[in-house]
Amino acid sequence: CSAIDACKTSNGGCSTKAECRRTTPGNRVCVCNSGYTGDGIVCIEINPCLENNGGCDRNAECTQTGPNQAVCNCLKGYSGDGKRCTYINLCSQNNGGCSEFAICNDTELTEKTCTCKHNYIGDGFQCRGNIFQELLRDSNTSRFYFYLENLSIRDISGPGPFTLFVPRTDVLNSDPRVRDWINKGVMAQVIRYHIVGCASLLYNDLATITNITSLQGDPIHISYSQNSLVLNNKAEVILSDAVGTNGVIHIINQILVP
């Protein structure tokens, strides 16, 4: 007589995911393979993600890759190895897309916000200081700023409000009259003729009036023709409504002469 091997045929009736182990002649036990659970007759693949998120961070996604095997990947907005995930502060790079003159604030519990710093105005993505500062920041108006500084015209650094009509930099650089005005000592008066005090007049405001008085003392005539604002029947407003904390800048294509 020979002992009957209960595991010889059909894995002893055990699951294909189990090991059949002989015990006594004609008997056996079924033991599920590593990564599986069950009674050996039926073995079910263990999904580690079902318990405690598979050991992943609470801000990670657990993905089963095999029997009792998984990988952890940090969710969007977080960085790390999946076991530990850290919130990526949106403000940590490039000020979160906010203006350089804004404060970026971002936490896990709130959406990112951009708030203009003290003495600046705007939506946080674009922030403007006073119009004296804004002149320097724009190449179209930086030459006008140079003349204000060089001629010690500091009116617009005050609280205002002011309205400026600024000839483009290339116009100021190319007009041959500028050198003559400088030599005659009247350039300061020409520059002050481009400034209006005690009012911050936007484009739509200007379209409703015909005359305003400059800091130099002489009036500026305003007309509206062919969908354009024209000053003294010559200079056209080509860019408008650059609003600062103490006034507004309009760019014109000619120099105004008192």
Side-chain angles (χ1 to χ4, degrees):
C1 295
S2 58
I4 296 173
D5 184 352
C7 294
K8 186 175 182 180
T9 304
S10 300
N11 197 31
C14 300
S15 166
T16 57
K17 304 299 183 183
E19 178 188 359
C20 181
R21 297 178 183 175
R22 294 171 58 189
T23 53
T24 57
N27 295 305
R28 54 90 178 105
V29 292
C30 301
V31 181
C32 291
N33 294 336
S34 176
Y36 293 83
T37 185
D39 60 5
I41 305 299
V42 176
C43 293
I44 301 172
E45 191 173 281
I46 297 172
N47 183 350
C49 297
L50 297 178
E51 186 175 345
N52 197 32
N53 200 30
C56 303
D57 189 273
R58 65 185 180 89
N59 292 306
E61 180 182 22
C62 179
T63 304
Q64 184 183 6
T65 57
N68 205 25
Q69 294 179 333
V71 293
C72 302
N73 294 296
C74 293
L75 298 175
K76 183 179 180 180
Y78 295 83
S79 65
D81 60 4
K83 298 290 186 182
R84 181 178 176 82
C85 298
T86 305
Y87 181 69
I88 300 172
N89 191 313
L90 298 177
C91 299
S92 61
Q93 292 186 340
N94 195 33
N95 201 29
C98 303
S99 165
E100 62 179 306
F101 303 111
I103 297 171
C104 180
N105 185 54
D106 182 41
T107 69
E108 286 186 85
L109 302 177
T110 61
E111 292 186 5
K112 182 194 76 177
T113 58
C114 300
T115 308
C116 292
K117 294 178 180 177
H118 181 61
N119 289 331
Y120 287 86
I121 60 172
D123 60 5
F125 296 96
Q126 287 191 326
C127 298
R128 293 182 178 275
N130 66 47
I131 51 179
F132 198 69
Q133 295 170 309
E134 294 305 311
L135 289 171
L136 183 60
R137 290 174 58 191
D138 188 341
S139 60
N140 278 323
T141 58
S142 57
R143 190 64 177 171
F144 191 84
Y145 172 90
F146 166 79
Y147 284 117
L148 289 171
E149 282 281 88
N150 198 43
L151 298 168
S152 299
I153 302 172
R154 304 293 297 181
D155 303 82
I156 63 171
S157 60
F162 301 98
T163 300
L164 269 63
F165 300 105
V166 181
R168 268 196 337 243
T169 289
D170 61 324
V171 173
L172 285 169
N173 285 338
S174 62
D175 194 316
R177 296 174 297 175
V178 171
R179 182 176 294 275
D180 186 47
W181 290 329
I182 293 173
N183 291 336
K184 291 180 178 178
V186 297
M187 190 61 183
Q189 293 304 308
V190 173
I191 291 297
R192 287 171 64 85
Y193 185 53
H194 293 76
I195 305 171
V196 176
C198 302
S200 180
L201 300 169
L202 299 176
Y203 189 94
N204 289 339
D205 300 321
L206 294 170
T208 64
I209 55 180
T210 56
N211 287 286
I212 47 177
T213 303
S214 70
L215 286 186
Q216 179 267 347
D218 287 348
I220 300 171
H221 177 68
I222 303 172
S223 56
Y224 191 75
S225 175
Q226 297 180 339
N227 296 322
S228 296
L229 277 179
V230 180
L231 308 180
N232 292 348
N233 298 318
K234 290 183 179 180
E236 182 181 343
V237 175
I238 53 176
L239 290 171
S240 62
D241 294 354
V243 178
T245 56
N246 64 339
V248 59
I249 299 169
H250 304 287
I251 299 177
I252 56 178
N253 62 356
Q254 289 191 43
I255 299 174
L256 301 177
V257 182

